[in-house]
Amino acid sequence: MSDSRSGARILVDQLLLQGVDRLFCVPGESYLGVLDALIATPSLRLIVNRHESGSAFMAGAYARLTGQPGVAFVTRGPGACNAAIGIHHAYQDSLPLVLLVGQSPTSVLEREAFQEIDCRRLFGSISKWVAQIDRADRIPEFLARAFQSATSGRQGPVVLALPEDVLEQSARTADARCHQSVQAAPSDTQIAALRRMLGKAQRPIVLVGGPGWSAAASENLRGFAEANHLPVACAFRYQDVYDNRHPNYVGDVGLGVNPQLAERIRGADLVLAFGARLGEATTSGYTLLRAPVPDQALVHAHPGLEELGRVYQAELMINTGMPQLAARLAMITPIENPIWADAVVQARAQYRAWQLRPEILSRHPPELDPWQLLQELRATLPDQAIVCNGAGNFSIWLHRFFGYFAPGTQLAPTSGCMGYAVPAAIAAKISAPEKAVVCISGDGDFLMTAQELATACQYNAAVLFLVFNNGMYGTVRAHQELRFPGRVSGTSLRNPDFSQLARAYGCAGFSVRRTADFAEVLAQALASLRSRRLPALIELACDPQLLSPSLHLQDVRGDTPTPAPKFPSAG
Ligand SMILES: Cc1ncc(C[n+]2csc(CCOP(=O)(O)OP(=O)(O)O)c2C)c(N)n1
Ligand SMILES: [Mg+2]
């Protein structure tokens, strides 16, 4: 038993024991003791945000990038509510995150005291576990369980409320141990069954996704796909699991999926879904696979037991972590001369064709060509550059035309939340300062969390921000034009001058209107990042008529009624 310590000190000691090296926060008077204890704990780096959504998003991005649990600290009611979007995101993205909430003192709880919030009810449906710690001597136990739960099985957020007086109490209590992330592994029987199903298949396809793909796991997956000539597709916003340049890679299955790829999945006789949740965005609204019993034979491997059979009754369900699965896949005796070997070549050719400049740009040439711009960006950035985006139709261009070459290079919200990209990019740069980090946002998306530019400058996070400015909530406008043509309501935006806004924060600010100017401005922005060690922002003046790679306003409003295209939302 150690000496008597304050609850705040016990808490900080547990964070260190759980391997935490940074804390994203907005301070509150509810946890002053913790802030004070951190002064004597330089190994725990405090990153102070300007809005609690920033803290939660950053903790989530840190988790997705490093595989380690991210930790955010916020104050009671107002702080907890601001952080909620990041908790919802971490839940849908299956990210290990521990949110600590400074709570009102126990002496006044349940009176609706000043800023009191019931964390159990607020976070109950969007986290793996929510608890309040009522005794300082139990802090080690609660912290250990929080980290254990957040990091095991299907990973996710955990919320702990810490009443002010509990942090001030003194207690003699023993420390906990570091958590162990527990993941299941496939059994021999399951691997044998998978091999048998593959042996009987004629049109198999692999669909990979979810977090937890280490570089080694991705490499093992590559070996399995190559040896068996299997086409590999990536689930919505998990495009970095498999090198997009590899001949077996056939595209991503998300909002705006290549129709030929969608057809290939519909027509497959075996879908090997590894790590993907098979959510709404990945299944084109539960149409690529029918629920509950798909037409295709389905092997569903997922770290979360509760995820298996939740929507789809797969023929073979495997509860496993991805590294554990991939290690076994790499050892499977390959199918000799599979009859589907030509299919991978054809699917790859269809993917390459899907990446070509879309004909809409020839019919309606914009002053600033988003396709050309993304080619330029990909050619300029290193393979390992981390690219972050939030929600909006601009992201359809990115997902379709920009290639991801290595695990851990895509940070994008499967929860479809706007405002994610700015904090995610800053967290990425702080966590991996040696890597190039680019943040790609829409004008609406960017302004949801633009205040974190101050955080970026404060911590010298030299991120390149690209803002696709079309003066509107374009995704919603696109739906509006299709459902209620010409009746614009609630989707137009009067924006600030983004380059000046960036400069006001201390970033370098640029603006590009014409395709021909982009390369030069990009070079200037990158040079500025290197020399100033501060962020740079390029505002891209986008054609407001170009609503997506398959939708131009003139086509919708033209005299001849166009057949209502099935418009993908990038929410
Ligand atoms: C937090 C949040 N609020 C609202 C939405 C609904 N929504 C999805 S995309 C979008 C518009 C995005 O606008 P912008 O970032 O400018 O991108 P654009 O579609 O114009 O390319 C909205 C409002 C959302 N996904 N997330
Ligand atoms: Mg916009």
Side-chain angles (χ1 to χ4, degrees):
M1 195 71 63
S2 69
D3 292 345
S4 182
R5 291 174 285 175
S6 69
R9 184 70 247 170
I10 297 171
L11 180 80
V12 171
D13 288 345
Q14 305 317 300
L15 292 175
L16 290 173
L17 279 166
Q18 298 303 333
V20 180
D21 62 0
R22 71 201 60 214
L23 209 53
F24 301 95
C25 83
V26 173
E29 60 274 31
S30 55
Y31 65 96
L32 286 175
V34 176
L35 294 169
D36 187 69
L38 288 171
I39 294 175
T41 318
S43 56
L44 218 171
R45 188 171 178 213
L46 200 56
I47 310 290
V48 182
N49 297 110
R50 306 308 171 103
H51 189 284
E52 289 84 351
S53 63
S55 310
F57 279 145
M58 285 195 190
Y62 170 83
R64 179 146 170 190
L65 204 58
T66 64
Q68 298 302 310
V71 184
F73 216 137
V74 301
T75 195
R76 46 211 179 188
C81 289
N82 272 350
I85 187 173
I87 302 308
H88 178 257
H89 161 256
Y91 192 66
Q92 292 226 319
D93 242 15
S94 310
L95 297 169
L97 188 158
V98 176
L99 177 71
L100 303 168
V101 181
Q103 180 59 293
S104 308
T106 51
S107 55
V108 300
L109 283 178
E110 296 297 337
R111 289 180 181 167
E112 197 188 327
F114 180 60
Q115 299 186 337
E116 181 183 347
I117 188 92
D118 183 337
C119 285
R120 290 189 188 91
R121 278 193 287 162
L122 177 64
F123 294 111
S125 64
I126 51 171
S127 55
K128 289 186 77 175
W129 183 48
V130 192
Q132 178 170 300
I133 312 181
D134 288 331
R135 293 168 53 114
D137 61 354
R138 293 190 68 190
I139 290 175
E141 173 194 339
F142 275 78
L143 263 283
R145 178 168 163 195
F147 280 86
Q148 193 59 39
S149 171
T151 58
S152 295
R154 178 182 170 194
Q155 302 185 327
V158 166
V159 181
L160 289 178
L162 292 145
E164 205 176 315
D165 51 317
V166 174
L167 292 172
E168 283 165 13
Q169 263 171 27
S170 287
R172 287 165 64 87
T173 185
D175 289 329
R177 284 195 185 130
C178 186
H179 65 279
Q180 305 171 25
S181 169
V182 179
Q183 294 297 341
S187 68
D188 293 346
T189 321
Q190 288 169 326
I191 293 295
L194 190 156
R195 170 69 172 67
R196 261 197 315 278
M197 288 172 76
L198 191 56
K200 280 199 255 161
Q202 307 210 326
R203 299 177 307 282
I205 187 160
V206 178
L207 178 56
V208 293
W213 287 94
S214 58
S218 285
E219 192 55 26
N220 280 332
L221 176 69
R222 187 177 62 80
F224 169 72
E226 271 175 4
N228 292 286
H229 304 273
L230 287 164
V232 178
C234 287
F236 179 52
R237 293 183 172 162
Y238 285 107
Q239 289 164 260
D240 60 342
V241 173
Y242 202 88
D243 187 342
N244 296 184
R245 296 167 300 186
H246 191 270
N248 290 51
Y249 179 73
V250 298
D252 71 304
V253 191
L255 303 170
V257 58
N258 179 352
Q260 289 172 313
L261 179 55
E263 217 29 62
R264 188 171 293 279
I265 296 174
R266 272 198 201 94
D269 63 350
L270 175 63
V271 176
L272 300 172
F274 297 151
R277 268 194 62 231
L278 300 178
E280 189 179 356
T282 294
T283 59
S284 298
Y286 304 103
T287 63
L288 298 186
L289 298 144
R290 269 200 309 182
V293 184
D295 296 335
Q296 311 90 329
L298 173 65
V299 175
H300 194 190
H302 198 276
L305 198 52
E306 65 289 346
E307 203 52 38
L308 296 167
R310 178 180 179 170
V311 180
Y312 293 110
Q313 293 181 299
E315 217 160 289
L316 176 62
M317 304 185 198
I318 308 178
N319 182 208
T320 177
M322 291 308 109
Q324 293 80 353
L325 173 71
R328 295 297 304 269
L329 293 177
M331 283 156 37
I332 287 181
T333 311
I335 308 290
E336 271 180 43
N337 302 320
I339 52 173
W340 60 78
D342 288 344
V344 69
V345 180
Q346 188 197 34
R348 176 74 187 170
Q350 288 169 347
Y351 164 67
R352 300 286 291 159
W354 181 243
Q355 282 205 304
L356 297 176
R357 188 168 185 266
E359 56 87 30
I360 201 168
L361 295 173
S362 309
R363 274 194 293 124
H364 304 288
E367 264 195 70
L368 186 59
D369 180 331
W371 182 85
Q372 189 60 45
L373 186 153
L374 288 166
Q375 307 304 304
E376 208 89 61
L377 190 68
R378 182 64 282 180
T380 308
L381 292 177
D383 292 0
Q384 298 289 334
I386 300 168
V387 177
C388 310
N389 66 272
N393 270 12
F394 64 92
S395 69
I396 297 183
W397 295 91
L398 176 69
H399 296 333
R400 178 165 160 188
F401 299 113
F402 186 87
Y404 299 85
F405 299 161
T409 56
Q410 182 183 34
L411 288 179
T414 56
S415 73
C417 51
M418 294 166 72
Y420 171 74
V422 173
I426 298 167
K429 189 68 189 173
I430 290 172
S431 308
E434 73 289 357
K435 294 205 174 153
V437 179
V438 182
C439 169
I440 299 192
S441 311
D443 45 338
D445 179 35
F446 180 77
L447 283 178
M448 285 216 175
T449 46
Q451 71 282 348
E452 299 302 336
L453 287 184
T455 314
C457 290
Q458 183 162 341
Y459 297 98
N460 285 106
V463 171
L464 174 64
F465 293 94
L466 298 181
V467 181
F468 282 64
N469 181 11
N470 57 1
M472 64 171 86
Y473 288 131
T475 311
V476 187
R477 170 75 60 85
H479 284 285
Q480 200 162 52
E481 292 289 351
L482 293 173
R483 288 278 307 283
F484 303 99
R487 294 176 62 79
V488 177
S489 173
T491 49
S492 299
L493 297 173
R494 179 175 165 175
N495 281 320
D497 178 327
F498 285 99
S499 56
Q500 274 197 48
L501 180 70
R503 280 185 227 124
Y505 277 106
C507 313
F510 304 88
S511 194
V512 175
R513 313 211 143 261
R514 293 181 312 131
T515 313
D517 299 336
F518 181 68
E520 169 62 25
V521 173
L522 179 62
Q524 282 176 25
L526 292 173
S528 145
L529 290 177
R530 282 189 295 271
S531 62
R532 298 179 70 229
R533 291 185 59 241
L534 285 168
L537 179 146
I538 306 176
E539 180 209 6
L540 303 161
C542 298
D543 182 346
Q545 304 228 82
L546 187 60
L547 295 171
S548 87
S550 55
L551 194 67
H552 193 279
L553 205 51
Q554 276 173 25
D555 294 342
V556 191
R557 290 193 186 170
D559 291 340
T560 19
T562 37
K566 232 186 138 297
F567 188 76
S569 157

